[in-house]
Amino acid sequence: MATAMAEHWTPSSWQGHDVRQQPPWPDAGVLAAATRELAAYPPLVSPADTDGLRVALAEAQAGRAFLLQGGDCAESFAEFSTENIRASHRLIADMADILAAASGLPVIRIGRMAGQFAKPRSTGEEEKDGRALPAYRGDIVNGIAFDEAARLPDPERMFRAYSQAAATLAHLKDLAASEGSPFYTSHEALLLPFEQALVRRDEPSGRYYGAWAHFLWVGDRTRFPGSAHVEFARGLANPIGIKCGPSLDPETLLRLLDRLDPDHAPGRITLISRMGHEGIADRLPPLLRAVGREGHPVLWSCDPMHGNTVKAATGYKTRPMARILAEVRDFFALCPAEGARAGGIHIEMTGQNVTECTGGAAMLTEQDLSDRYHTHCDPRLNATQAMELAQLLADMLRRSSRGAAAA
Ligand code: PEP
Ligand code: CO
């Protein structure tokens, strides 16, 4: 739509739109002081690296690369350590090697790391033992402990998140250099005052970059028409992801694409389907058809995590491996049936040996969940489960590359 282009964008133009999922900051003055200070801080990623990712994603759109995106649901201050960064990086690298060998394609590695701190919530309050407190929204906002002081949103937490992200990135850069393959970072662009404070204008090109991750995505709860988050993402030069959940209809998706990518720029948009194993067969094909009909260039990626969360009898939020694998299988069958390419995977996982998702070869049961349940938000695959998923993906990629060679 030409009108979308004509509308003026600035890093703060989102403020005139419908802003959801923001914490109830107790003091606007403290928030403003924190964002003013942040606005002077150095960028964490460079325009050149961000552009590099966009070129790589354009390759994936053209069928010449595959995307592997994964990491924590929510990074936490407590789990920050060299060992954890190394373990997650190692796991992504090992999975990428398996996928590359099977597909014969380069695998683009993006971590949900170095900035994935803020969480959208379905309810603003959490109730426990007859008491209601503000929901936990990630360590960048408040503390996970169920007490009043911890749950009070505190803008000062942003500074700790910034330094943790900077240190994580520096270490990831070293690890990537020793492997000889680039590693990119990503997070959900959720806390708009902070995201705005980290926008940097690239003087040579005059373009604006979200400067604390290469790839930013708009979550399923904030991708509605008229959303401030969509308005914010619209003017950035970064590659942008859109989470596509069961409530997204084809018409709304097409309008979002017009808004976020009026120029049909290669590598710009990744659509991350997260329908759930039950809904995907009904929900995804209409979206694939609509996007295909319009000829809008996108990369289709599968998030088999967020539509498959269940509550165990023991009270823990979990995700059964069988459902995760079922959604991945369906995704890889449904895309080609509609003439689209299954081009990537988006998962919540950790290199640590946690017990958060049930099933898999180790046959974790609901009774095992309490052993090592460490996530600050959603349940993650552990390293063994993630490698199992990689093996399943490898089998499917091997079959589809044979299919392509035969065609
Ligand atoms: C997430 O990726 O952690 C998330 C909240 O996803 P969604 O927006 O798809 O629910
Ligand atoms: Co999550």
Coordinates of all heavy atoms in Angstrom, one line a residue, residues 242-273:
I242 N 7.5 -12.1 12.2 CA 6.1 -11.9 12.7 C 5.7 -13.3 13.2 O 5.7 -14.3 12.4 CB 5.2 -11.4 11.6 CG1 5.7 -10.2 10.9 CG2 3.8 -11.2 12.2 CD1 4.9 -9.8 9.7
K243 N 5.3 -13.4 14.4 CA 4.7 -14.6 15.0 C 3.3 -14.8 14.4 O 2.5 -13.8 14.5 CB 4.7 -14.6 16.5 CG 6.1 -14.7 17.1 CD 6.6 -16.1 16.9 CE 7.7 -16.4 17.9 NZ 7.3 -17.1 19.1
C244 N 3.0 -15.9 13.9 CA 1.7 -16.2 13.3 C 1.0 -17.3 14.0 O 1.3 -18.5 13.9 CB 1.9 -16.6 11.8 SG 2.7 -15.4 10.8
G245 N 0.1 -16.9 14.9 CA -0.7 -17.8 15.8 C -2.1 -18.1 15.2 O -2.5 -17.5 14.2
P246 N -2.8 -19.0 15.9 CA -4.1 -19.4 15.4 C -5.1 -18.3 15.1 O -6.0 -18.5 14.2 CB -4.7 -20.3 16.5 CG -3.5 -20.6 17.4 CD -2.5 -19.6 17.2
S247 N -5.0 -17.2 15.7 CA -6.0 -16.1 15.5 C -5.7 -15.2 14.3 O -6.5 -14.3 14.0 CB -6.2 -15.2 16.8 OG -5.0 -14.5 16.9
L248 N -4.6 -15.5 13.6 CA -4.2 -14.6 12.5 C -5.0 -15.0 11.2 O -4.8 -16.2 10.8 CB -2.7 -14.7 12.3 CG -2.1 -13.8 11.1 CD1 -2.5 -12.3 11.3 CD2 -0.6 -14.0 11.0
D249 N -5.7 -14.1 10.6 CA -6.4 -14.5 9.4 C -5.6 -14.0 8.2 O -4.8 -13.0 8.3 CB -7.9 -13.9 9.4 CG -7.9 -12.4 9.4 OD1 -7.8 -11.8 8.4 OD2 -7.8 -11.9 10.6
P250 N -5.9 -14.6 7.0 CA -5.0 -14.2 5.8 C -5.1 -12.7 5.5 O -4.0 -12.1 5.1 CB -5.7 -15.0 4.7 CG -6.4 -16.2 5.4 CD -6.8 -15.7 6.7
E251 N -6.3 -12.1 5.6 CA -6.4 -10.7 5.2 C -5.5 -9.8 6.1 O -4.8 -8.9 5.7 CB -7.8 -10.3 5.3 CG -8.2 -9.0 4.5 CD -7.5 -8.9 3.2 OE1 -7.5 -9.9 2.3 OE2 -6.9 -7.8 2.9
T252 N -5.6 -10.1 7.4 CA -4.8 -9.3 8.4 C -3.3 -9.5 8.1 O -2.5 -8.6 8.2 CB -5.1 -9.8 9.8 OG1 -6.5 -9.6 10.0 CG2 -4.3 -8.9 10.8
L253 N -2.9 -10.7 7.8 CA -1.5 -11.0 7.5 C -1.0 -10.2 6.3 O 0.1 -9.6 6.3 CB -1.2 -12.5 7.3 CG 0.2 -12.9 6.8 CD1 1.2 -12.4 7.8 CD2 0.3 -14.4 6.7
L254 N -1.8 -10.2 5.2 CA -1.4 -9.4 4.0 C -1.3 -7.9 4.3 O -0.4 -7.3 3.8 CB -2.5 -9.7 2.9 CG -2.5 -11.1 2.3 CD1 -3.6 -11.2 1.2 CD2 -1.1 -11.6 1.8
R255 N -2.2 -7.4 5.2 CA -2.1 -6.0 5.5 C -0.8 -5.7 6.3 O -0.2 -4.7 6.1 CB -3.3 -5.6 6.3 CG -4.6 -5.3 5.4 CD -5.5 -4.3 6.0 NE -5.9 -4.8 7.4 CZ -7.0 -5.6 7.6 NH1 -7.7 -6.0 6.6 NH2 -7.3 -5.9 8.8
L256 N -0.5 -6.7 7.2 CA 0.8 -6.5 8.0 C 2.0 -6.5 7.1 O 2.9 -5.8 7.2 CB 0.9 -7.7 8.9 CG 0.2 -7.6 10.3 CD1 0.2 -9.0 11.0 CD2 0.8 -6.5 11.1
L257 N 2.0 -7.4 6.0 CA 3.1 -7.5 5.1 C 3.2 -6.1 4.3 O 4.3 -5.6 4.1 CB 2.9 -8.6 4.2 CG 3.1 -10.0 4.8 CD1 2.8 -11.1 3.8 CD2 4.5 -10.2 5.4
D258 N 2.1 -5.6 3.9 CA 2.1 -4.3 3.2 C 2.7 -3.2 4.1 O 3.5 -2.4 3.6 CB 0.7 -3.9 2.8 CG 0.1 -4.7 1.7 OD1 0.9 -5.3 0.9 OD2 -1.1 -4.7 1.6
R259 N 2.4 -3.3 5.3 CA 2.8 -2.3 6.3 C 4.3 -2.4 6.6 O 5.0 -1.4 6.6 CB 1.9 -2.4 7.5 CG 2.0 -1.4 8.5 CD 0.8 -0.5 8.6 NE 1.0 0.6 9.5 CZ 1.0 1.8 9.1 NH1 0.7 2.2 7.9 NH2 1.3 2.8 10.0
L260 N 4.7 -3.6 6.8 CA 6.1 -3.8 7.3 C 7.1 -4.0 6.2 O 8.3 -3.8 6.4 CB 6.2 -5.1 8.2 CG 5.6 -5.0 9.6 CD1 5.4 -6.3 10.2 CD2 6.5 -4.1 10.4
D261 N 6.6 -4.3 5.0 CA 7.5 -4.5 3.9 C 6.9 -4.1 2.5 O 6.7 -4.9 1.6 CB 7.9 -6.0 3.8 CG 8.8 -6.3 2.7 OD1 9.7 -5.5 2.4 OD2 8.8 -7.5 2.2
P262 N 6.5 -2.8 2.4 CA 5.9 -2.3 1.2 C 6.7 -2.5 -0.1 O 6.1 -2.6 -1.1 CB 5.6 -0.8 1.5 CG 6.6 -0.5 2.6 CD 6.8 -1.7 3.4
D263 N 8.0 -2.6 0.1 CA 8.9 -2.7 -1.1 C 9.2 -4.2 -1.5 O 10.0 -4.4 -2.4 CB 10.2 -2.0 -0.8 CG 10.1 -0.6 -0.4 OD1 9.1 0.0 -0.9 OD2 10.9 0.0 0.3
H264 N 8.6 -5.1 -0.7 CA 8.9 -6.5 -1.0 C 10.4 -6.8 -1.0 O 11.0 -7.4 -1.9 CB 8.3 -7.0 -2.4 CG 6.8 -7.0 -2.4 ND1 6.1 -7.9 -3.2 CD2 5.9 -6.3 -1.7 CE1 4.8 -7.7 -2.9 NE2 4.7 -6.7 -2.0
A265 N 11.1 -6.3 0.0 CA 12.6 -6.4 0.1 C 13.0 -7.8 0.4 O 12.5 -8.4 1.4 CB 13.1 -5.4 1.1
P266 N 13.9 -8.4 -0.3 CA 14.4 -9.7 0.0 C 15.0 -9.8 1.3 O 15.8 -8.9 1.7 CB 15.4 -10.0 -1.1 CG 15.1 -9.1 -2.2 CD 14.5 -7.8 -1.6
G267 N 14.7 -10.8 2.1 CA 15.3 -11.0 3.4 C 14.6 -10.2 4.5 O 14.9 -10.4 5.7
R268 N 13.7 -9.4 4.2 CA 13.1 -8.5 5.2 C 12.2 -9.3 6.2 O 12.3 -9.0 7.4 CB 12.3 -7.4 4.5 CG 11.3 -6.6 5.4 CD 12.0 -5.7 6.3 NE 11.0 -4.8 6.9 CZ 11.3 -4.0 7.9 NH1 12.5 -4.0 8.5 NH2 10.3 -3.2 8.4
I269 N 11.3 -10.1 5.7 CA 10.3 -10.7 6.6 C 10.4 -12.2 6.7 O 10.5 -13.0 5.8 CB 8.9 -10.5 6.0 CG1 8.6 -9.0 5.9 CG2 7.8 -11.2 6.8 CD1 8.3 -8.2 7.2
T270 N 10.4 -12.7 8.0 CA 10.3 -14.1 8.3 C 9.0 -14.3 9.0 O 8.7 -13.6 10.0 CB 11.5 -14.5 9.2 OG1 12.7 -14.3 8.6 CG2 11.4 -16.0 9.6
L271 N 8.2 -15.2 8.5 CA 6.9 -15.5 9.2 C 7.1 -16.8 10.0 O 7.5 -17.8 9.5 CB 5.8 -15.7 8.1 CG 5.5 -14.5 7.3 CD1 4.4 -14.8 6.3 CD2 5.0 -13.3 8.2
I272 N 6.8 -16.6 11.3 CA 7.1 -17.7 12.2 C 5.8 -18.3 12.7 O 5.0 -17.7 13.5 CB 7.9 -17.2 13.4 CG1 9.2 -16.5 13.0 CG2 8.2 -18.3 14.4 CD1 9.8 -15.6 14.0
S273 N 5.4 -19.5 12.1 CA 4.1 -20.1 12.3 C 4.2 -20.8 13.7 O 5.1 -21.6 14.0 CB 3.9 -21.1 11.2 OG 2.9 -22.0 11.6

